[in-house]
Amino acid sequence: MKVRDFAGGRSAATAYSGMIHSTRFDIAIQLETRTKMSERSPDYDVTAVNKSGRKVRIGTAWNETGNTTGNHYISMQIDVGLGPFRVNAVQTKEAREAMTGEFEIIPLVSNGAMKSGSISGELTAMDADNAFAGYIANMMFDLDFMLIENEFKTEETHPDYRIEVSSPKGHPIRVGSAWMAKSNRTGNDYVSLLINTPDGDLRVNAVQNEEQRGGQTFSIIPFVESAGQDRSDNAGLALVG
């Protein structure tokens, strides 16, 4: 999920061009400069070409600056016909240093999270690359995913892994984050996951039962928050590029 800065690009209005991928679509987008009517009005229109070949406006975008890092990023609100969603386009440290003009699009955590309900899932540690493979499913969705180590982790609250799935055309899509954690009560290791499913943001834990302990397989169970819920110091909700 990337956009690229077009310095002197295809047209005077096109500032950025790129792709957005999800489990349901692969869409080429452009960010076109628009006249600002106030300080908080959008800096760009987000446009795409529909199935009939007509260019349509699918959202708006703003130039923003990170409060803690001071780095430039782009905040976008987009609707492709499935309901509005928010994403940020950020640059990795390497992209900033190389001045490549490439941004990675990451999902924002919504204010409302879906309830776990009946969830099935499994997570398996891979033999190499410090990665995990797994799936999560209910009656409405079924997602195969990978946990890829977060090489850019610099703070304790940053995720240990990014969660990736494949778009219909095989593009990797980041749909969430995961943290290694330890139960305060039992001392057992588990994995805390925050996943953006087609039905909303979902929090689950991957734990090992007695038969699985010491092996490579974890069972995914719903996250239930209560006064007695085990919580890890690493169980933040930050998403990093």
Side-chain angles (χ1 to χ4, degrees):
M1 302 166 70
K2 294 184 178 180
V3 292
R4 173 179 283 275
D5 181 4
F6 272 84
R10 294 173 183 164
S11 69
T14 302
Y16 298 88
S17 182
M19 296 287 299
I20 290 184
H21 310 289
S22 84
T23 55
R24 298 184 180 182
F25 57 78
D26 296 270
I27 295 177
I29 63 168
Q30 290 190 345
L31 271 59
E32 300 182 2
T33 305
R34 56 179 281 171
T35 302
K36 289 179 69 71
M37 305 303 295
S38 68
E39 182 180 353
R40 289 307 303 160
S41 63
D43 295 289
Y44 309 101
D45 284 324
V46 183
T47 64
V49 177
N50 67 15
K51 293 181 180 180
S52 300
R54 187 190 304 274
K55 185 172 77 171
V56 294
R57 178 174 172 270
I58 62 170
T60 50
W62 293 260
N63 288 313
E64 302 284 1
T65 301
N67 292 329
T68 57
T69 65
N71 295 328
H72 169 242
Y73 70 95
I74 302 169
S75 173
M76 289 185 272
Q77 180 165 304
I78 299 173
D79 190 345
V80 297
L82 301 172
F85 60 92
R86 299 275 309 276
V87 295
N88 284 342
V90 303
Q91 284 191 302
T92 64
K93 179 181 178 181
E94 288 74 13
R96 291 195 302 273
E97 292 176 347
M99 295 184 289
T100 62
E102 288 192 350
F103 291 72
E104 179 180 359
I105 296 177
I106 62 175
L108 287 181
V109 178
S110 65
N111 292 329
M114 66 174 290
K115 294 182 179 180
S116 298
S118 297
I119 292 292
S120 297
E122 199 168 79
L123 193 64
T124 302
M126 309 297 286
D127 292 328
D129 299 326
N130 195 24
F132 291 82
Y135 78 90
I136 187 168
N138 67 8
M139 290 297 293
M140 302 303 296
F141 63 82
D142 194 318
L143 295 177
D144 292 302
F145 62 86
M146 294 284 295
L147 264 58
I148 309 298
E149 187 175 13
N150 178 18
E151 299 176 354
F152 305 106
K153 177 168 180 162
T154 58
E155 302 288 343
E156 282 299 312
T157 55
H158 287 173
D160 295 295
Y161 298 92
R162 65 182 186 273
I163 303 174
E164 290 189 353
V165 301
S166 293
S167 76
K169 291 187 177 180
H171 294 281
I173 310 158
R174 180 175 178 175
V175 295
S177 300
W179 295 259
M180 296 302 300
K182 186 180 291 291
S183 170
N184 294 328
R185 180 172 55 85
T186 66
N188 295 327
D189 293 327
Y190 68 97
V191 187
S192 175
L193 299 90
L194 175 63
I195 305 175
N196 180 247
T197 76
D199 294 325
D201 295 325
L202 175 64
R203 292 192 66 185
V204 294
N205 288 336
V207 303
Q208 289 187 312
N209 57 35
E210 291 297 331
E211 291 76 18
Q212 295 168 327
R213 195 153 296 132
Q216 294 180 290
T217 302
F218 294 72
S219 295
I220 291 178
I221 62 173
F223 172 88
V224 179
E225 188 165 12
S226 66
Q229 175 69 34
D230 288 326
R231 296 186 67 85
S232 165
D233 291 337
N234 296 338
L237 297 181
L239 294 176
V240 296

